[in-house]
Amino acid sequence: MNLTLIAQYATDIIALLMLLGLLTKENLLNLHSKRFFKYSIFLTIIIIIAELGSLAVDNQGSSLKPLNQMFNIVGFSLTPLIPLMLIELFSQNVLKKHKFVFIPSILNAIAVLLSPWFGWIYKINIDNQYERGSLFIIFVVVYIINILVLSHIVWLSGRKRFFPIKWKILGLSLFTIVGTCIQLILPEVISSWHVVTLALFLLFILLSVFENSFDALTGLFNRLAFEKATSTLSYKKPYTIILIDINHFKKTNDEHGHDTGDLALKEIAEVIKNSISYELNGYRIGGDEFSLILETRDEIIISDYLNTIKCGLDERRKNNKMLPTISIGYSIHNGKKSLSFQDVYREADKHMYEDKKEQKKDIKH
């Protein structure tokens, strides 16, 4: 067997073991995402070992034919499951709720298990030599279907939580499809598992950087993410900055304790998250300050969002009388005047404090 090929596969396995170590120490991903990411890595390592084993015993005498069969069964059965495991990184419990997504993989596994007799997915001839089976296309189609299902889930979840990196993850999916298809089209080019190993590493880096953009308490994007987002805003395009400030937050902390204050922050953040769509991102930019960025100047749309937030808080206040009120201000950049972001932000801040003063007047009266 080619020593260069062994070295390449060994490098992939070592890299994946290193990734497993990084993932174990990493605290940014939640436990559920970590678990399924680990499943993907373990599956990849097992499949690489199986492919390496198959290459090692292939054409090495009929006595090793059962071993060759076993290695091919493991590789062809498990490969389509990797994209399915990765789905859980983007939308938890999808596999549990929608078990039908396993149907193509199950059909593929059945075809693989029957291949030693019927030669559907692969054939091992009397000389213990591997060949592609008459229905090898089933394996290819199932694998691509599962990657497309993963891409679809990324697209859907990207409309909310993963919106900022949606296209990067979809690009990574395309890279994986193209990279693995090279070996499917040209069997002599051993590229699939190098591509998958690289893709898993890139996905880990992408998710780690992304998860570092969130505020730990509220789950909204943090100040750093806000600054990155605002740095990309163009004065040539319309956008709206909405600022939200919690009224009497210091008083809430002083009189009822910081646990009550933290709970208020979480509840208000939850209302904001439930109110926003893929067009809008929510940020915690200070202790009791939040911001929303909306890529529109349509006042009807803006008003709808603000009313949704206010109604959501009113509803929660029925069950939590200590939940503070909020003050809101916004500023619209119409994309025509060459205003800086700071100008737009200052105007929103001014309107927010005007709202705060108006609420104080209403309380006095």
Side-chain angles (χ1 to χ4, degrees), residues 2 119 146 149 184 199 204 235 247 270 276 305 337 340 361:
N2 191 317
N146 286 356
V149 170
L184 295 174
F204 171 75
Y235 72 89
N247 296 329
E270 194 64 32
I276 61 181
Y305 279 123
K337 297 179 181 177
S340 69
K361 286 180 185 178

Side-chain angles (χ1 to χ4, degrees), residues 63-77:
S63 62
L64 295 175
K65 183 177 178 180
L67 202 55
N68 204 356
Q69 296 276 20
M70 182 191 74
F71 285 137
N72 277 282
I73 287 171
V74 169
F76 284 116
S77 297

Side-chain angles (χ1 to χ4, degrees), residues 6-254:
I6 294 174
Q8 289 174 344
Y9 277 122
T11 301
D12 288 338
I13 292 170
I14 291 169
L16 288 167
L17 289 172
M18 290 176 64
L19 178 57
L20 201 58
L22 290 172
L23 192 61
T24 301
K25 294 179 180 179
E26 179 60 72
N27 293 320
L28 291 174
L29 298 179
N30 62 56
L31 291 175
H32 183 88
S33 297
K34 271 189 179 183
R35 185 166 74 251
F36 279 89
F37 208 145
K38 287 178 181 179
Y39 291 164
S40 302
I41 295 170
F42 281 129
L43 280 175
T44 305
I45 291 173
I46 291 168
I47 295 164
I48 289 174
I49 292 171
E51 184 163 319
L52 190 59
S54 177
L55 291 170
V57 302
D58 193 57
N59 210 20
Q60 296 299 312
S62 58
S63 62
L64 295 175
K65 183 177 178 180
L67 202 55
N68 204 356
Q69 296 276 20
M70 182 191 74
F71 285 137
N72 277 282
I73 287 171
V74 169
F76 284 116
S77 297
L78 296 183
T79 296
L81 296 178
I82 295 175
L84 297 185
M85 295 301 104
L86 293 174
I87 285 173
E88 290 291 318
L89 272 67
F90 303 100
S91 187
Q92 292 188 11
N93 298 318
V94 167
L95 299 179
K96 190 175 182 180
K97 294 175 183 175
H98 306 289
K99 292 183 175 64
F100 63 86
V101 298
F102 285 107
I103 290 174
S105 301
I106 292 170
L107 293 175
N108 173 72
I110 292 170
V112 171
L113 290 170
L114 293 175
S115 289
W117 295 278
F118 299 102
W120 287 343
I121 304 300
Y122 70 90
K123 298 176 185 175
I124 306 295
N125 65 23
I126 195 168
D127 297 320
N128 188 29
Q129 190 172 20
Y130 163 83
E131 298 174 16
R132 288 182 175 178
S134 57
L135 297 177
F136 181 77
I137 190 66
I138 290 176
F139 167 75
V140 176
V141 169
V142 169
Y143 179 67
I144 292 176
I145 284 173
N146 286 356
I147 290 184
L148 292 176
V149 170
L150 170 61
S151 301
H152 178 66
I153 296 297
V154 170
W155 179 265
L156 293 178
S157 60
R159 298 186 70 174
K160 279 238 177 182
R161 178 172 170 80
F162 293 97
F163 178 63
I165 59 168
K166 176 178 64 179
W167 290 108
K168 293 178 182 178
I169 295 174
L170 290 174
L172 194 54
S173 299
L174 181 61
F175 164 75
T176 306
I177 291 174
V178 172
T180 52
C181 281
I182 290 173
Q183 187 172 339
L184 295 174
I185 298 168
L186 303 169
E188 67 276 9
V189 179
I190 309 297
S191 64
S192 293
W193 298 109
H194 310 323
V195 169
V196 172
T197 300
L198 179 57
L200 287 172
F201 251 103
L202 291 174
L203 181 60
F204 171 75
I205 293 168
L206 192 58
L207 289 177
S208 295
V209 172
F210 178 66
E211 293 293 341
N212 202 35
S213 301
F214 288 95
D215 175 61
L217 179 65
T218 63
L220 292 171
F221 287 106
N222 58 24
R223 179 81 193 198
L224 179 62
F226 177 74
E227 290 174 357
K228 285 181 180 178
T230 56
S231 68
T232 63
L233 293 173
S234 170
Y235 72 89
K236 295 180 180 179
K237 294 182 179 179
Y239 63 84
T240 300
I241 299 295
I242 301 170
L243 296 179
I244 299 172
D245 187 79
I246 301 177
N247 296 329
H248 312 298
F249 187 64
K250 185 177 183 303
K251 185 179 178 182
T252 300
N253 277 330
D254 292 343

Side-chain angles (χ1 to χ4, degrees), residues 311-358:
C311 291
L313 286 173
D314 288 342
E315 194 64 32
R316 285 183 178 247
R317 206 169 283 114
K318 292 176 183 178
N319 299 318
N320 181 3
K321 302 296 182 185
M322 289 188 291
L323 187 63
T325 57
I326 60 171
S327 297
I328 300 177
Y330 67 89
S331 178
I332 299 172
H333 173 60
N334 60 19
K336 295 178 180 178
K337 297 179 181 177
S338 57
L339 293 173
S340 69
F341 166 75
Q342 290 302 326
D343 292 331
V344 181
Y345 183 91
R346 276 193 290 270
E347 185 178 2
D349 194 50
K350 177 185 172 185
H351 292 160
M352 187 265 292
Y353 277 103
E354 287 173 354
D355 183 44
K356 195 179 285 284
K357 287 178 183 177
E358 287 297 319

